[in-house]
Amino acid sequence: MSNQHEYVIAVVGAGPRGTSFLERLLAQVERCSPGQRRGLKVMVFDPAPHGAGRVWNPEQSSLYLMNTPAAFPTAAPSGGTRRSLPPSSCSISFLEFCAPGGFDDDAASYPTRSQYGTYLAWLNKEVSAHLRGRGVVVQHISAEVTALIPQADRYLLRTAGGEHAADAVVLALGHLETELSSGPAHLAAQADKHGLHYQGPAIPTEVDYSTFGAGQNVLVRGLGLNFFDLMIEVTAGRGGQFRLNQDPTPGRRFTYEPSGAEPRLIAGSRRGTPYRAKTLAPGFVPSGIELAHLTPRAIDELLAEHTELDFAAHLWPLIEKDIRSTCASFGGPADFDVTSCARPFQHRSWTSPQEYQHTLVKWLEDDAEASTAGADSPEKMAINALHAARLEVKKLVADRRIRMASVLRDIEGWFEPLVEGLASGPPLQRIEELAALSRAGLVEFLGPEPVYGVDSTNGAFIADSAAVQGARYHAAYMIEAMMPPNRITQAQSQLVRGMLADGLAAPAIVESGGQAHVHKGFNVTEAPHRLIHSDGTAGHIYVLGLQLSSVQWGTAIAAEAGGDIQGSARALADADAAAASVLQTLTPDAALPNLAPVLS
């Protein structure tokens, strides 16, 4: 227990968001003299490695790649971001941490997730040491917080090892295990009944892939980023080799030599295709991509007329115009249809599974060719205009410029999966590897809109697509290749369930079509985001990261090095606002100018 002069902050979650909070707290502490504040103690709770958390564990396989180039991610302000968020003495980006060298080519190369985890672990350790050097007590506790209980004007945090009191709490919970929805829950129950093996949505590094035996059929639902982790783990991870061959054609550069230990993946998704590969054109948004229609002036004019915007009615038409004009400016057709691009096999059919496999391999090769072409691919540049528009939409959501009903119906309903499938795909390398595995017969594709079920007579999972004749597959194994849904009401976390049950937290409620909808994120105040209790009051429990989805969009994405605090670096601004609020509590009478950015 702390003494009466010591202010205690509990940080629940020591992954990237929790680490960013510590770094921002250090920046705040370094800008005021010790005499201006009370004694300060920080307790950091997480059973996973501190800094890296569960997703970025430095000990994970080096086969797993990041989904962004080395120049993008950061957990601390760097570059232009420092004009709005003054750096701490430890404030460097991932790329700065790795310099000089560290990557095969340059800042555009895709590092391993373990490399990024090493950076996060280093940053967490450095920040903790520098805080201690400033007289702050920092205690790292490798335990899960299972309960949070208000006690007068403080909070009691319960772990398996005991109880800890704090004056303020920062929730940086990250990905949470969730209850299965009705469809997957039925499959899981049927699997138990018939002795089958079912794997629900999970963080890839926490899946036991060893259950998939050599030569066994494995049904896979999902062809997004988790699929590529599964793909590489059960192929190269089991001793197979991707060999460069003599054919330099994009999509045909690799040949796969099996080890004999691989299972056979039979994978499907609603669109029938994997996420598209990222372009080799340099830059998070490649140069030459300019939004001529979704401009600040156009948005201001719309806001002057409508106050709050409807995404489908007001913004999507401008985005479509930018997509088409970008395509035309790079030498493509001006009537580019991005929806058809996202679902290239809609309204098509195939007479055999073999015909569909041929179609898919050709699609992979074409996608690899377009990605390799970089700025010479009008299609990929048009997709990057969509990506640039996504960043602007993210700002508008966080600034409450778009009606929440439209966010729920349009942005989360159809725009998010559209952008994810086209602009948030894997590095080009993964698409070329997938093409090689398909040619080797180790990956086979289900058609569009596949249906999964259980054949109770034969005791097997089954899957087929109405678009492909004769394509019914049987397997004893099935995996959902996707992350757990970011929905607090489905969370299995004892902590979250307890807070909801006790009224300490509540989900946000969105009005849409005259009905109230329970949102997936917490109900929180404006920045700094504090939990709003079920009675409408708010205390000193701050929220960072994924569970802010009720007021932000794309909360799983890392902050961009050098990014705008209103947009791609907003995660850092959130952490800074929380740290400034806590420090202001410690120094209520001190003049602390410019401690936090203004988010409006």
Side-chain angles (χ1 to χ4, degrees):
M1 184 69 68
S2 63
N3 63 51
Q4 62 179 346
H5 301 294
E6 186 177 60
Y7 191 88
V8 181
I9 307 169
V11 181
V12 184
R17 300 301 190 277
T19 298
S20 289
F21 173 80
L22 292 179
E23 189 277 330
R24 290 291 80 207
L25 184 66
L26 174 62
Q28 301 286 345
V29 166
E30 289 178 336
R31 298 184 66 207
C32 65
S33 65
Q36 285 183 300
R37 59 175 172 80
R38 292 158 56 190
L40 177 61
K41 178 180 179 180
V42 181
M43 299 183 296
V44 187
F45 298 85
D46 203 323
H50 285 213
R54 298 162 64 198
V55 173
W56 306 103
N57 190 334
E59 301 302 317
Q60 68 186 278
S61 169
S62 60
L63 291 171
Y64 295 143
L65 299 180
M66 291 191 70
N67 190 41
T68 54
F72 177 82
T74 189
S78 67
T81 309
R82 293 174 177 169
R83 290 192 292 269
S84 302
L85 298 180
S88 73
S89 53
C90 303
S91 183
I92 64 172
S93 70
F94 174 51
L95 190 62
E96 290 169 331
F97 170 75
C98 295
F103 297 99
D104 295 336
D105 297 311
D106 52 31
S109 58
Y110 288 79
T112 66
R113 293 214 288 267
S114 62
Q115 286 174 309
Y116 190 59
T118 299
Y119 156 72
L120 292 171
W122 171 87
L123 182 62
N124 189 284
K125 185 176 180 180
E126 279 296 294
V127 167
S128 298
H130 282 244
L131 281 168
R132 293 184 182 109
R134 289 279 177 164
V136 178
V137 177
V138 181
Q139 183 180 6
H140 286 272
I141 302 169
S142 295
E144 178 184 4
V145 175
T146 57
L148 181 58
I149 305 162
Q151 283 197 338
D153 58 348
R154 306 191 81 199
Y155 301 96
L156 193 69
L157 294 93
R158 183 171 297 151
T159 71
E163 296 180 340
H164 309 264
D167 298 283
V169 179
V170 177
L171 299 179
L173 302 178
H175 291 281
L176 298 172
E177 294 182 6
T178 59
E179 297 175 343
L180 294 174
S181 56
S182 58
H186 174 73
L187 288 173
Q190 290 293 300
D192 287 342
K193 181 178 179 180
H194 296 286
L196 304 175
H197 303 271
Y198 175 81
Q199 171 63 58
I203 295 173
T205 53
E206 298 181 356
V207 175
D208 182 8
Y209 298 109
S210 67
T211 58
F212 307 148
Q216 294 277 357
N217 281 358
V218 179
L219 291 181
V220 184
R221 175 153 51 189
L223 284 167
L225 300 176
N226 281 33
F227 166 77
F228 291 99
D229 289 341
L230 161 67
M231 176 195 87
I232 205 68
E233 181 64 31
V234 299
T235 55
R238 294 193 178 186
Q241 297 288 324
F242 290 97
R243 304 288 190 189
L244 278 172
N245 57 37
Q246 299 301 313
D247 188 346
T249 306
R252 300 195 64 86
R253 296 187 307 127
F254 291 125
T255 297
Y256 183 73
E257 295 181 4
S259 67
E262 301 91 344
R264 178 170 170 254
L265 303 181
I266 302 161
S269 69
R270 284 176 294 179
R271 60 176 62 88
T273 62
Y275 280 18
R276 299 199 63 170
K278 287 192 169 67
T279 179
L280 292 188
F284 187 59
V285 175
S287 60
I289 303 295
E290 295 184 5
L291 299 178
H293 301 280
L294 188 70
T295 62
R297 179 177 178 180
I299 291 169
D300 287 344
E301 290 175 353
L302 285 167
L303 286 169
E305 182 178 356
H306 302 285
T307 308
E308 278 190 312
L309 303 180
D310 181 280
F311 178 81
H314 303 139
L315 300 177
W316 178 242
L318 300 178
I319 295 171
E320 280 193 303
K321 289 179 182 178
D322 277 320
I323 292 169
R324 290 169 177 163
S325 63
T326 299
C327 189
S329 69
F330 282 90
D335 58 350
F336 186 79
D337 185 353
V338 70
T339 304
S340 296
C341 186
R343 290 183 175 270
F345 302 148
Q346 198 169 23
H347 309 306
R348 288 185 60 182
S349 61
W350 293 261
T351 58
S352 69
Q354 294 75 23
E355 183 186 7
Y356 189 69
Q357 305 317 306
H358 176 79
T359 300
L360 246 296
V361 171
K362 181 64 168 58
W363 183 92
L364 292 168
E365 293 170 353
D366 289 345
D367 188 53
E369 182 178 7
S371 292
T372 303
D376 290 330
S377 168
E379 183 186 35
K380 288 289 182 178
M381 291 301 100
I383 288 172
N384 271 282
L386 174 66
H387 170 53
R390 183 246 300 264
L391 300 178
E392 295 304 314
V393 171
K394 185 177 178 180
K395 292 182 190 178
L396 292 170
V397 171
D399 291 339
R400 306 290 183 100
R401 304 301 190 192
I402 303 175
R403 296 189 194 102
M404 279 306 298
S406 181
V407 172
L408 187 71
R409 180 188 67 241
D410 302 317
I411 296 177
E412 295 180 7
W414 58 267
F415 182 67
E416 183 171 15
L418 173 72
V419 178
E420 291 292 317
L422 291 175
S424 295
L428 170 61
Q429 173 187 339
R430 289 294 187 246
I431 291 293
E432 297 205 273
E433 290 167 342
L434 177 55
L437 289 169
S438 182
R439 288 191 294 266
L442 290 171
V443 176
E444 192 162 340
F445 300 99
L446 291 161
E449 302 293 342
V451 176
Y452 298 80
V454 172
D455 180 346
S456 57
T457 301
N458 297 310
F461 290 112
I462 54 174
D464 58 24
S465 167
V468 183
Q469 295 181 29
R472 169 158 286 199
Y473 297 88
H474 294 75
Y477 301 85
M478 180 177 172
I479 179 171
E480 307 279 1
M482 57 193 73
M483 295 293 277
N486 175 30
R487 186 173 293 278
I488 61 168
T489 54
Q490 289 180 241
Q492 291 183 336
S493 161
Q494 283 184 259
L495 172 63
V496 173
R497 293 168 81 106
M499 289 194 300
L500 292 173
D502 297 340
L504 193 60
I509 304 297
V510 178
E511 296 290 335
S512 178
Q515 294 184 330
H517 297 268
V518 177
H519 198 270
K520 57 188 177 183
F522 283 128
N523 191 21
V524 294
T525 66
E526 297 291 340
H529 300 296
R530 295 177 295 142
L531 277 184
I532 297 176
H533 310 320
S534 60
D535 64 3
T537 63
H540 297 285
I541 305 174
Y542 300 85
V543 182
L544 299 176
L546 269 68
Q547 289 75 37
L548 287 179
S549 54
S550 57
V551 292
Q552 295 181 14
W553 178 53
T555 53
I557 302 173
E560 180 184 12
D564 175 12
I565 64 165
Q566 302 282 356
S568 61
R570 197 168 194 121
L572 299 181
D574 288 339
D576 192 79
S581 179
V582 170
L583 199 62
Q584 193 67 47
T585 301
L586 296 177
T587 56
D589 300 322
L592 298 173
N594 302 318
L595 276 176
V598 176
L599 294 176
S600 60

